[in-house]
Amino acid sequence: MAGVGDAAAPGEGGGGGVDGPQRDGRGEAEQPGGSGGQGPPPAPQLTETLGFYESDRRRERRRGRTELSLLRFLSAELTRGYFLEHNEAKYTERRERVYTCLRIPRELEKLMVFGIFLCLDAFLYVFTLLPLRVFLALFRLLTLPCYGLRRLLQPAQVCDILKGVILVICYFMMHYVDYSMMYHLIRGQSVIKLYIIYNMLEVADRLFSSFGQDILDALYWTATEPKERKRAHIGVIPHFFMAVLYVFLHAILIMVQATTLNVAFNSHNKSLLTIMMSNNFVEIKGSVFKKFEKNNLFQMSNSDIKERFTNYVLLLIVCLRNMEQFSWNPDHLWVLFPDVCMVIASEIAVDIVKHAFITKFNDITADVYSEYRASLAFDLVSSRQKNAYTDYSDSVARRMGFIPLPLAVLLIRVVTSSIKVQGILSYACVILFYFGLISLKVLNSIVLLGKSCQYVKEAKMEEKLSNPPATCTPGKPSSKSQNKCKPSQGLSTEENLSASITKQPIHQKENIIPLLVTSNSDQFLTTPDGDEKDITQDNSELKHRSSKKDLLEIDRFTICGNRID
């Protein structure tokens, strides 16, 4: 301790030791700068004892290092606090996203169930009411000279006869396609080949569905176009042959799909069925991480409805073929039941996950599915109006891409080949079954019509149902056409709605040329209801319409298969 004091003493005196003169020199050099009153102020009372100041800084550094110990770090981490309310808006938005994802399954399945019953209604129409309408049209055609009517058939009756003739011709053409040979040909392929074939068939089905309704609509319009107008087409016969060829090829394609699914069901290790089910989950990758608008999501929802209903019909065909091979043994049905449930469950799970994440990533609320349901209901109600411009089955085909004719041809072919009708009792059972189908069709139509009217009222679209399609004469604007198309004065909106559903369509005058092929339903959700807003524009504006479409304009014309990826 004495040595330390002796070494420090000369430093304090400022005159002794080796370092004394140097320190005094530094002190003298710094002193004029501090005494002049100009420049920065000197260090507070530590100019001559700079050595002791530097030693104090070293001590503070050592003390700070000892304070940054592991225990202090753990204590700080364990006692550190924060307040979520400082960013309340962010966490509220996250909570709403979770609630939206939880609501998606319920809202999506409500839309799916409603859409599936719409497809069922259009599908049952081919088997039940279409034959009766064709019979009435032929009866009118045969008894026409007795009544002396000027017009041979109504446009709707012409379309019904064309549908019936196409159905019968394609049914007899399907007899030349051997289902058993196709089954064994597909079964002899490897699993990878069958997986590739099934994917190619799905793409081809979307392409056929996209172009098929165009062919049918072209045939219907060519056959019913007024004779007074200038005709710019190739004729009814070429359009008819194109329609027959399309329905036949599409029916064969669906048959190959059903056969591939049947091979997957009957394989021993179920590897093909697993691969085909995993293909549904690949669909999530192709759609979830892409930007979707409301209209794009509406297209995808319609496509999912059509795809699910088609899969149900394919499963029915597979079950019929398997039950026929096992002599209609009920025990084999329970063997197929787990696989059928697995396919249906995977389809539902994929749709729920896909729609939940699409709505999450694109900030779309779950209430949008009620708007989609209202737009589908509007199609059903508007097809019953007196100013209807299309049949409801065709409207479903345009909206969802579901064309019932090829699927109906295939189902009739499978049922007639699987079930043998012999004897009077068998024919009586067939007649009773047909009346049962008619009862189911009528009951389904009544329930759907009631629900559709309810959805339309909830969406406040009754006024659009009361007005006819937007039409105008050439060269005149149609902004004032709404005044000519008001509902009857003595009826309220609900009475007008219920009354117009039961009325028959009326034929419009020939000098009224519609500029648009869509009704007032196309203005739903984005078009203002004001009288100043023109529904139809000039011809130049019609050619350059905006790409943003209303929900009721979204149909399978937009893209093949109603799919935007």
Side-chain angles (χ1 to χ4, degrees):
M1 298 299 291
V4 175
D6 294 337
E12 293 178 0
V18 179
D19 298 334
Q22 298 177 0
R23 293 176 183 174
D24 291 339
R26 289 195 298 267
E28 292 174 0
E30 294 173 358
Q31 188 173 2
S35 61
Q38 299 177 358
Q45 299 179 1
L46 293 175
T47 54
E48 295 183 357
T49 59
L50 192 60
F52 289 97
Y53 175 70
E54 292 179 352
S55 63
D56 291 341
R57 290 179 61 184
R58 293 191 187 99
R59 292 192 188 100
E60 290 178 359
R61 289 178 182 175
R62 292 173 183 174
R63 187 180 304 169
R65 290 174 183 174
T66 56
E67 289 178 356
L68 293 177
S69 62
L70 180 61
L71 294 178
R72 283 183 172 274
F73 177 76
L74 292 178
S75 176
E77 289 296 320
L78 293 176
T79 58
R80 179 172 54 87
Y82 51 89
F83 296 93
L84 299 180
E85 61 186 10
H86 293 167
N87 199 352
E88 181 179 355
K90 175 182 176 181
Y91 292 105
T92 303
E93 180 184 0
R94 298 296 174 85
R95 184 173 60 186
E96 292 299 327
R97 287 183 181 180
V98 174
Y99 292 164
T100 299
C101 290
L102 294 178
R103 289 179 57 195
I104 288 299
R106 180 171 177 267
E107 298 295 330
L108 177 63
E109 289 306 313
K110 288 169 63 176
L111 174 65
M112 287 289 176
V113 170
F114 184 72
I116 287 174
F117 276 101
L118 293 180
C119 293
L120 179 64
D121 188 70
F123 192 59
L124 290 177
Y125 170 80
V126 179
F127 300 100
T128 56
L129 299 185
L130 181 61
L132 299 179
R133 289 174 63 94
V134 171
F135 175 76
L136 292 177
L138 293 177
F139 180 77
R140 173 190 172 91
L141 186 62
L142 294 176
T143 59
L144 188 62
C146 300
Y147 296 97
L149 299 177
R150 295 181 180 179
R151 193 180 184 92
L152 294 178
L153 293 174
Q154 297 294 328
Q157 293 176 331
V158 175
C159 295
D160 293 335
I161 292 178
L162 290 174
K163 291 178 184 178
V165 174
I166 292 174
L167 198 66
V168 172
I169 293 177
C170 293
Y171 169 72
F172 285 107
M173 292 174 64
M174 288 295 293
H175 279 283
Y176 293 95
V177 180
D178 193 353
Y179 185 88
S180 300
M181 183 185 68
M182 184 182 298
Y183 176 82
H184 291 289
L185 181 64
I186 294 176
R187 189 174 185 179
Q189 307 298 323
S190 62
V191 175
I192 301 300
K193 284 185 179 180
L194 291 179
Y195 175 69
I196 296 174
I197 290 174
Y198 192 78
N199 289 335
M200 293 174 61
L201 291 175
E202 284 189 348
V203 175
D205 180 62
R206 294 176 187 175
L207 296 178
F208 269 88
S209 300
S210 174
F211 192 61
Q213 190 62 32
D214 292 338
I215 296 176
L216 295 176
D217 287 339
L219 172 63
Y220 301 152
W221 175 241
T222 304
T224 59
E225 188 177 5
K227 297 180 180 180
E228 292 80 4
R229 299 180 187 174
K230 181 180 178 181
R231 295 196 170 191
H233 54 76
I234 60 177
V236 179
I237 302 301
H239 280 286
F240 178 77
F241 281 116
M242 283 193 297
V244 171
L245 182 63
Y246 154 71
V247 174
F248 176 66
L249 293 179
H250 200 176
I252 291 179
L253 186 139
I254 299 175
M255 176 181 283
V256 177
Q257 277 186 303
T259 306
T260 308
L261 189 61
N262 195 7
V263 171
F265 269 69
N266 294 330
S267 59
H268 297 287
N269 53 3
K270 304 294 182 181
S271 59
L272 179 59
L273 184 61
T274 305
I275 293 175
M276 292 169 60
M277 290 174 54
S278 64
N279 189 34
N280 294 329
F281 292 91
V282 177
E283 185 181 354
I284 298 178
K285 177 183 176 182
S287 57
V288 165
F289 302 104
K290 294 183 180 180
K291 183 175 178 57
F292 276 85
E293 300 293 339
K294 289 174 60 177
N295 294 345
N296 304 72
L297 185 59
F298 186 36
Q299 291 174 336
M300 175 174 286
S301 302
N302 292 333
S303 179
D304 291 337
I305 292 172
K306 176 252 180 183
E307 183 180 356
R308 190 179 293 189
F309 181 79
T310 304
N311 288 336
Y312 292 163
V313 179
L314 292 180
L315 290 174
L316 176 61
I317 293 175
V318 169
C319 292
L320 288 176
R321 296 299 299 178
N322 279 275
M323 293 298 292
E324 179 196 2
Q325 296 298 325
F326 286 88
S327 302
W328 299 96
N329 186 8
D331 296 334
H332 185 69
L333 184 61
W334 297 107
V335 177
L336 297 173
F337 186 73
D339 295 334
V340 173
C341 293
M342 187 168 54
V343 172
I344 296 176
S346 65
E347 188 73 24
I348 295 176
V350 167
D351 290 339
I352 290 176
V353 172
K354 180 175 63 177
H355 283 264
F357 281 97
I358 285 176
T359 53
K360 176 183 182 296
F361 293 149
N362 296 276
D363 294 330
I364 300 176
T365 61
D367 297 331
V368 73
Y369 292 100
S370 62
E371 299 179 11
Y372 298 161
R373 192 170 62 246
S375 63
L376 295 179
F378 191 93
D379 290 339
L380 176 60
V381 178
S382 61
S383 65
R384 264 71 176 183
Q385 299 295 305
K386 61 182 180 180
N387 54 1
Y389 60 92
T390 183
D391 187 69
Y392 176 68
S393 60
D394 298 329
S395 177
V396 171
R398 296 185 187 97
R399 180 74 67 182
M400 302 180 184
F402 173 69
I403 304 176
L405 286 181
L407 200 59
V409 169
L410 178 60
L411 187 59
I412 294 175
R413 169 72 174 84
V414 172
V415 170
T416 54
S417 62
S418 301
I419 301 176
K420 304 300 180 182
V421 180
Q422 296 177 354
I424 300 177
L425 184 60
S426 300
Y427 284 103
C429 293
V430 170
I431 294 174
L432 290 177
F433 180 74
Y434 177 72
F435 282 112
L437 285 180
I438 294 178
S439 303
L440 179 62
K441 169 66 175 65
V442 173
L443 179 62
N444 187 33
S445 299
I446 293 174
V447 174
L448 283 178
L449 190 59
K451 286 292 183 181
S452 299
C453 293
Q454 177 183 352
Y455 296 149
V456 168
K457 291 178 182 178
E458 291 176 357
K460 299 179 181 179
M461 300 168 61
E462 302 96 325
E463 296 181 358
K464 301 180 184 298
L465 287 172
S466 303
N467 297 330
T471 59
C472 68
T473 57
K476 295 182 180 180
S478 59
S479 60
K480 298 180 180 180
S481 61
Q482 296 179 356
N483 298 330
K484 302 178 182 180
C485 306
K486 293 181 179 180
S488 56
Q489 300 292 334
L491 296 177
S492 62
T493 304
E494 297 183 0
E495 293 175 352
N496 191 16
L497 173 62
S498 60
S500 59
I501 290 176
T502 57
K503 290 183 179 179
Q504 292 294 329
I506 58 174
H507 181 67
Q508 296 180 354
K509 296 182 180 180
E510 297 295 337
N511 58 352
I512 299 179
I513 304 175
L515 293 181
L516 292 176
V517 296
T518 55
S519 65
N520 282 341
S521 63
D522 299 334
Q523 312 300 326
F524 175 49
L525 294 177
T526 58
T527 303
D529 291 333
D531 295 336
E532 295 82 3
K533 183 67 177 179
D534 293 335
I535 298 177
T536 58
Q537 304 295 336
D538 295 332
N539 293 332
S540 60
E541 296 180 359
L542 289 176
K543 295 180 181 178
H544 305 285
R545 285 186 296 180
S546 174
S547 60
K548 182 179 180 181
K549 295 186 177 182
D550 304 328
L551 282 181
L552 290 176
E553 284 182 334
I554 301 302
D555 53 14
R556 57 120 204 101
F557 287 115
T558 307
I559 198 168
C560 28
N562 278 333
R563 185 76 64 180
I564 286 187
D565 292 330

